[in-house]
Amino acid sequence: MDTEFSKRLISWYLQNKRELPWRTTTNPYAVWLSEIILQQTRVAQGLPYYQKFITTFPSIHDLAAAPQEQVLKLWQGLGYYSRARNLHETAKNVVVNYNGKFPDNYKELLNLKGVGDYTASAIASICYNEAAAVVDGNVYRVLSRIFGIETPINSTKGQKEFKALAQQLINPQKPGTHNQAIMEFGARYCVPQNPDCSNCIFNDSCEAFGKRKVASLPFKLKKGAIKKRYFNYLVFISEDNKTHIEQRTKKGIWQQLYQFPLVETKNQATIKTLMEDNDFLKLTNQFSEVDITQYNNAPILHKLSHQHLYTTFWIIFISEKLQNGIAISTIDDYAVPVLISNFISEFTTFNNLKN
DNA sequence: AACTCGGGGGG
DNA sequence: CCCCCAGAGTT
């Protein structure tokens, strides 16, 4: 253990830390909730979600008793929806199989779905004072720079190497504070671009600063190409002002969320190519006549980290009643992707103006 | 080991 | 346009 490193870090932390709601408690439920929300998510983006969840579900029993629909609806907009599904599953699991109490150590915490090395270490250290080092994106950056490590952080070798180093540096007296300190230091001071190295508390010993490698660390392997997909959403409107929605049940993005009936095409569809599409015909052949208009002329580009969705909404008026249709006004009760949510708010605004 | 899974914010 | 964010699960 390097006590000097930890002492410097914690000293900085105590003077510079943000006041955040999950920092005023060691309740494992609250800490776990915050850690799941903050995975791959900035504090500013996750904070309102934490407030919503802790208010709606003050205890793990409340969360476990909720329907999945409610959990997903509260999670709407935050992304990586498997986190919400696993959050809910783990809540039920802890209530039923752990008598409502979280495991109190790193090893057993790892058995919970949605809890990996980082989250298990965070909970164990913050709630139970176990000397388990967290390694998140901030820790990779701070350690790669200070120690001049060029091993790719997104490689198995890199993960092991940084975990071992972080574990070596942790303060066994205050593991929770140490872990939060190094993350806060990365988030607030040793930032990805243009960190203020000349005033840094570690600039007397930082390898990257000494060797002018700050901008190139941490090193990361490049990822694969982004795929393009072409989505056509069919927005049915019946004579009794209802529409169709479907739930995404297959594997892939947005599992368990709702959307309008989707026709995915190989290329950007036109009204002509769409009306010849087999999937389109299956979805519409039950109607005697369809009055279809293209809502957006240029496709709406929705960017995910690994795919670009070129999306067209098609408004389809039906001169009859829809079986299993839902009132358009109730569509906001369902958890939907941001892409759908944006469309709905724009579309309903447009219709209100018209009326 | 490589791939998949969202959405937003900053330079 | 790019990168990154209090990562984890699946293949």
Side-chain angles (χ1 to χ4, degrees):
Chain A
M1 174 192 58
D2 185 340
T3 53
E4 169 59 23
F5 179 85
S6 185
K7 271 173 72 177
R8 238 192 257 192
L9 202 52
I10 289 177
S11 171
W12 177 90
Y13 176 65
L14 295 178
Q15 295 173 47
N16 295 282
K17 69 173 180 175
R18 292 166 286 184
E19 299 297 331
L20 298 169
W22 49 86
R23 285 189 175 153
T24 63
T25 177
T26 56
N27 177 348
Y29 169 65
V31 171
W32 164 72
L33 175 62
S34 75
E35 296 299 347
I36 301 298
I37 287 174
L38 292 173
Q39 286 168 7
Q40 292 292 285
T41 304
R42 292 170 189 277
V43 167
Q45 188 187 3
L47 184 54
Y49 285 85
Y50 176 82
Q51 302 283 23
K52 279 197 296 185
F53 269 85
I54 206 70
T55 302
T56 309
F57 309 119
S59 78
I60 192 168
H61 301 280
D62 302 312
L63 177 56
Q68 186 192 50
E69 307 262 320
Q70 187 186 7
V71 177
L72 286 173
K73 183 63 188 174
L74 277 183
W75 199 272
Q76 178 179 312
L78 197 54
Y80 286 160
Y81 296 92
S82 66
R83 289 185 293 170
R85 301 193 303 269
N86 290 335
L87 181 85
H88 193 214
E89 184 180 331
T90 290
K92 291 190 279 190
N93 178 23
V94 169
V95 164
V96 172
N97 299 317
Y98 295 81
N99 195 26
K101 294 192 165 190
F102 274 86
D104 64 358
N105 62 83
Y106 167 81
K107 191 178 175 186
E108 288 185 53
L109 283 162
L110 273 180
N111 293 328
L112 303 177
K113 214 156 200 175
V115 176
D117 185 88
Y118 164 79
T119 304
S121 301
I123 299 172
S125 63
I126 294 169
C127 304
Y128 305 113
N129 278 314
E130 181 176 347
V134 296
V135 182
D136 73 333
N138 295 305
V139 176
Y140 279 123
R141 187 169 54 254
V142 171
L143 295 185
S144 70
R145 285 175 176 170
I146 294 180
F147 293 89
I149 301 170
E150 301 184 10
T151 313
I153 62 172
N154 55 345
S155 67
T156 305
K157 182 165 180 263
Q159 287 174 24
K160 286 183 186 170
E161 186 174 347
F162 282 94
K163 174 77 179 181
L165 176 56
Q167 192 61 38
Q168 187 182 322
L169 293 168
I170 199 170
N171 182 336
Q173 309 302 323
K174 304 175 181 176
T177 305
H178 172 99
N179 276 338
Q180 296 188 75
I182 190 168
M183 289 190 284
E184 188 80 341
F185 183 71
R188 307 274 291 176
Y189 200 93
C190 191
V191 290
Q193 280 137 19
N194 305 317
D196 180 16
C197 296
S198 54
N199 295 308
C200 178
I201 56 170
F202 290 114
N203 68 3
D204 60 335
S205 55
C206 179
E207 285 282 325
F209 181 57
K211 295 179 179 172
R212 320 259 170 221
K213 288 185 173 177
V214 173
S216 62
L217 289 173
F219 182 68
K220 207 171 188 175
L221 266 28
K222 302 289 182 195
K223 289 189 182 176
I226 293 171
K227 286 183 182 173
K228 294 182 180 180
R229 301 175 72 180
Y230 300 90
F231 280 13
N232 296 275
Y233 281 117
L234 309 188
V235 184
F236 291 103
I237 300 178
S238 65
E239 67 150 353
D240 51 340
N241 211 30
K242 290 186 175 177
T243 193
H244 261 327
I245 59 169
E246 62 183 23
Q247 191 171 23
R248 294 181 65 92
T249 53
K250 296 176 193 165
K251 283 189 294 185
I253 58 173
W254 303 331
Q255 215 175 354
Q256 305 304 116
L257 271 63
Y258 288 85
Q259 63 182 5
F260 299 104
L262 172 64
V263 175
E264 183 170 0
T265 50
K266 300 262 189 198
N267 300 294
Q268 178 60 45
T270 64
I271 190 160
K272 176 169 161 39
T273 62
L274 183 66
M275 292 183 79
E276 293 167 349
D277 185 282
N278 274 331
D279 295 328
F280 175 85
L281 292 172
K282 275 182 193 168
L283 286 165
T284 54
N285 66 7
Q286 58 185 298
F287 305 115
S288 52
E289 61 180 276
V290 296
D291 170 10
I292 178 168
T293 61
Q294 188 169 349
Y295 177 74
N296 53 307
N297 197 357
I300 296 165
L301 176 55
H302 189 75
K303 293 181 179 180
L304 307 181
S305 35
H306 51 294
Q307 47 187 302
H308 285 180
L309 310 178
Y310 292 84
T311 308
T312 307
F313 291 90
W314 303 87
I315 313 300
I316 305 180
F317 291 102
I318 302 300
S319 59
E320 51 206 280
K321 296 192 178 181
L322 272 176
Q323 295 176 340
N324 305 321
I326 66 156
I328 292 179
S329 57
T330 67
I331 213 168
D332 202 37
D333 298 342
Y334 297 84
V336 298
V338 165
L339 174 62
I340 300 294
S341 175
N342 287 345
F343 167 79
I344 291 168
S345 60
E346 188 184 316
F347 185 67
T348 55
T349 301
F350 175 71
N351 282 345
N352 286 340
L353 288 177
K354 226 170 50 169
N355 294 343

